Amino acid sequence: MASVKSQAEIERKAKIFSLFSDPNRLKILQCLTHNPSATVSELAEHIEMSVACTSHHLQLLKDNQVVVAKRQGNSMHYQIIKDPLIQKLQTLIIT
């Protein structure tokens, strides 16, 4: 029998699945899959959502370690974190 993961790991995975259940966040992640580094404005334009709403969703993804923000000049660029679980879910998004 396989070993049971720690409670913290199970809760982390459940939170990530919850984050991936929102259509707007899936659109953002799909965009980041095809454009690995994008600003809030670029993402908002591409998914036809306000900058404020896009920023809110990105903050949730960032707080839960799905994306990372890196400053490039005056802009923050978002990228999907290199994590085995995230990468597996990312594969489902693009298919």
Side-chain angles (χ1 to χ4, degrees), residues 1-90:
M1 179 181 238
S3 65
V4 177
K5 299 286 183 188
S6 73
Q7 184 66 27
E9 183 63 19
I10 290 170
E11 288 175 10
R12 177 183 169 271
K13 288 179 180 178
K15 184 66 173 175
I16 289 171
F17 285 126
S18 174
L19 289 168
F20 275 60
S21 70
D22 183 276
N24 291 320
R25 288 190 285 270
L26 283 179
K27 289 178 189 177
I28 290 169
L29 292 168
Q30 189 173 37
C31 288
L32 288 174
T33 297
H34 296 293
N35 182 10
S37 179
T39 65
V40 175
S41 298
E42 292 167 341
L43 291 167
E45 181 180 335
H46 187 70
I47 62 176
E48 299 176 347
M49 198 163 49
S50 72
V51 171
C53 190
T54 304
S55 181
H56 169 74
H57 287 292
L58 282 167
Q59 188 63 48
L60 288 171
L61 293 168
K62 184 178 164 207
D63 290 347
N64 289 281
Q65 299 158 355
V66 175
V67 299
V68 63
K70 295 183 180 179
R71 181 164 298 282
Q72 292 181 6
N74 292 333
S75 303
M76 293 297 285
H77 287 254
Y78 291 85
Q79 300 173 325
I80 297 175
I81 289 178
K82 304 282 188 241
D83 175 271
L85 175 62
I86 303 300
Q87 289 177 328
K88 288 176 185 174
L89 292 172
Q90 188 178 1

